[in-house]
Amino acid sequence: LPIKLFEVSDVILAGDHPESNLVAVEGEKLGKYHPTGVHNRRHMCALHCCTESSGLELVHGVVEMALSRLGVAKISQTTSTAEAILAEVGTSAGGDSGALTMAYKLVEGADGAFFPGRAMNVVLVTLSEDQKSIGSERVIGHFGVIHPNTLKAFELTQPCSYCEIDIEPFI
């Protein structure tokens, strides 16, 4: 039987971050807080395992559908200017380039947990307020076929595909 898992949940990430969780300082007045060194982020993940196929196309479909439902436009991997992004989204079916603040693109990933050449990074591209330049680009997730060594390490016997995306920017 195939194994199909999907979850949206908070994850706790370690490290100093501007959005780190805060705790009240003991013995201090209310309002005094110290960073805990961790912060919460909302992530979405999906896994598909089956003896017949890794199901990469299914996991890819989950990524595309989720981002579409969150209202994030997809752009091509080579799109690199705000003007090109607005033109590409404006010409796609139902695109509303006037309200566009962010889009995503898929670029080849190099995470060792995935099979080489069968992994993608999901890159969030944010436009500046005036929509005349790209404000930032950052990897918010990845998906791909899990490498056989990774499967073995987790005692999985079937080929699997997996995705994980930070959906915090959209909620």
Side-chain angles (χ1 to χ4, degrees):
L1 293 174
I3 300 169
K4 299 177 183 179
L5 302 173
F6 180 83
E7 184 173 3
V8 175
S9 185
D10 282 354
V11 296
I12 300 170
L13 303 171
D16 292 330
H17 190 274
E19 299 171 11
S20 285
N21 295 338
L22 302 174
V23 294
V25 177
E26 258 186 73
E28 295 285 336
K29 293 184 203 175
L30 223 52
K32 293 275 188 172
Y33 295 93
H34 282 259
T36 61
V38 298
H39 60 283
N40 292 10
R41 300 290 291 185
R42 180 78 37 100
H43 281 212
M44 172 201 91
C45 68
L47 173 79
H48 181 274
C49 299
C50 183
T51 56
E52 298 163 5
S53 163
S54 67
L56 178 60
E57 67 283 357
L58 298 172
V59 171
H60 183 180
V62 167
V63 170
E64 298 273 350
M65 179 60 76
L67 290 170
S68 173
R69 293 288 173 107
L70 288 167
V72 186
K74 181 180 179 184
I75 58 174
S76 69
Q77 182 177 352
T78 57
T79 306
S80 61
T81 65
E83 185 177 272
I85 291 171
L86 293 172
E88 187 174 333
V89 173
T91 59
S92 65
D96 180 11
S97 60
L100 183 72
T101 58
M102 62 180 81
Y104 77 95
K105 61 184 173 180
L106 302 176
V107 297
E108 187 172 348
D111 188 327
F114 295 111
F115 203 80
R118 304 277 292 169
M120 300 296 282
N121 287 334
V122 181
V123 178
L124 181 66
V125 180
T126 307
L127 296 180
S128 62
E129 285 186 35
D130 63 5
Q131 292 189 326
K132 295 187 186 222
S133 63
I134 292 177
S136 67
E137 287 189 25
R138 71 179 182 96
V139 175
I140 60 165
H142 51 257
F143 66 93
V145 177
I146 299 176
H147 194 281
N149 293 341
T150 307
L151 292 173
K152 188 176 179 180
F154 287 95
E155 299 177 6
L156 296 169
T157 58
Q158 301 175 349
C160 299
S161 289
Y162 172 77
C163 73
E164 184 170 357
I165 298 175
D166 179 358
I167 61 171
E168 193 79 23
F170 315 114
I171 55 175

